[in-house]
Amino acid sequence: MNRQNDPVARYYASSTQAADAALSRAERANDLSKVRERIAQLVRGQTVLELACGTGYWTEVIAANADKVLATDILDAMLARAQTRRFPEGKVAFRKVDGLDLPEDLGTFTCVFIGFWWSHLKRDEQDALLAQLRARLGHDVSLILLDDAYVEGSSTTIARTDAQGNTYEIVAAPDGERFELPKNYPADSALRKRLGGEVREIRIERLTYYWMLTCRLK
C-alpha cells in the first residue's frame, strides 16, 4: 500500500499547518507546558527515533535534551518544514520513513517518540507498528506515546465507529476538501490491553487535553 495516498497522509500533506493548529490554542497552553517539560526529562541523554515528526515541533523539544535524534516522516512537505527550525548543531538527522514499514538500516536507538500519530492509526495498524518496533529495535527500548484526550467542545466530534471499534472524525483541508480520518481516544484500560503483549512497565499520565504513555519494548 502506498501510504502517502491514505487519508491521514493526504490531509496533512494538504495542510502542513494542521499538525500544529491544536497546539496553538490558548486553553491548551498550560497542559502543553507540562508535557514539554515531561518529555524533556524523559529523553535526556537518549538516542531517539521520532516517528511521524510532522513540522518538527516536538523534534525541537527532544533535540534540546536528547543526545541524538532521527526525525522521520512519510511526507516530504513535513520534513522540509521541520528542517527550517533551529536545532543544536549535529544532533538531528531527518529521513523519509513510513512508520508502518520501517527499514532495516534505521540504526540503534534507546528511545522511540510518537507524538499525535498513534490516535490516527487503526487498531490493526497499531499492532503492526508495535511488532515492527520490536523487530527492528529490539527489547528494552523506551517508547513514549503522546496524544490527544477527548474534550467536549474542543475536540472534533467523532463521526462514526467501524466494526473493529475504530472511531473516525471528519476534517476539512484549507481548499475545502473533506477527509474522514481515524481518530481514536483510548481509555487507560484500552491502552494497557493494546500494548500489554508487546511492552512492559506501562505508565499513563493524563492531563485535560493530552495523555502520555511510557513503557519499554519487551
Side-chain angles (χ1 to χ4, degrees):
M1 175 182 177
N2 181 0
R3 290 193 55 80
Q4 294 194 68
N5 290 328
D6 79 11
V8 175
R10 287 178 52 235
Y11 170 65
Y12 285 109
S14 70
S15 177
T16 56
Q17 295 179 347
D20 292 342
L23 299 174
S24 64
R25 297 181 188 176
E27 72 271 16
R28 298 182 178 227
N30 187 52
D31 274 13
L32 195 59
S33 177
K34 292 177 181 177
V35 170
R36 288 172 62 95
E37 182 178 344
R38 182 72 176 119
I39 289 173
Q41 295 171 348
L42 290 169
V43 302
R44 189 160 290 125
Q46 303 265 26
T47 302
V48 181
L49 170 64
E50 182 183 9
L51 298 181
C53 71
T55 67
Y57 179 96
W58 295 104
T59 316
E60 279 191 331
V61 177
I62 296 167
N65 298 277
D67 281 353
K68 294 280 186 180
V69 186
L70 175 61
T72 69
D73 203 281
I74 197 172
L75 296 174
D76 292 321
M78 286 295 192
L79 290 169
R81 185 177 171 93
Q83 289 177 74
T84 65
R85 295 180 182 268
R86 288 174 165 261
F87 299 105
E89 185 77 24
K91 271 197 174 186
V92 183
F94 291 91
R95 181 171 174 178
K96 185 175 182 179
V97 168
D98 179 350
L100 294 180
D101 187 18
L102 298 176
E104 294 184 7
D105 63 345
L106 267 177
T108 301
F109 302 91
T110 61
C111 179
V112 180
F113 176 80
I114 303 174
F116 301 94
W117 184 44
W118 179 263
S119 62
H120 283 312
L121 296 175
K122 291 179 282 190
R123 294 183 177 190
D124 60 338
E125 292 173 331
Q126 293 171 353
D127 292 341
L129 172 61
L130 291 170
Q132 285 239 337
L133 289 175
R134 289 186 66 196
R136 293 288 184 266
L137 304 183
H139 71 280
D140 230 24
V141 172
S142 297
L143 172 62
I144 304 169
L145 301 179
L146 171 65
D147 226 306
D148 293 306
Y150 185 81
V151 179
E152 191 70 37
S154 179
S155 304
T156 303
T157 303
I158 294 300
R160 74 176 179 97
T161 304
D162 68 16
Q164 287 72 47
N166 299 297
T167 52
Y168 296 80
E169 63 182 7
I170 296 175
V171 295
D175 64 1
E177 183 178 1
R178 291 164 67 83
F179 294 85
E180 182 184 70
L181 309 181
K183 184 65 174 180
N184 294 295
Y185 294 97
D188 288 6
S189 58
L191 285 167
R192 291 183 183 279
K193 183 176 181 180
R194 177 66 47 197
L195 280 86
E198 306 286 351
V199 309
R200 59 185 177 84
E201 299 176 20
I202 295 175
R203 179 181 178 185
I204 301 170
E205 304 170 53
R206 284 191 180 265
L207 299 171
T208 301
Y209 295 99
Y210 307 112
W211 60 263
M212 183 163 56
L213 182 148
T214 59
C215 60
R216 290 185 180 276
L217 299 176
K218 285 183 179 177

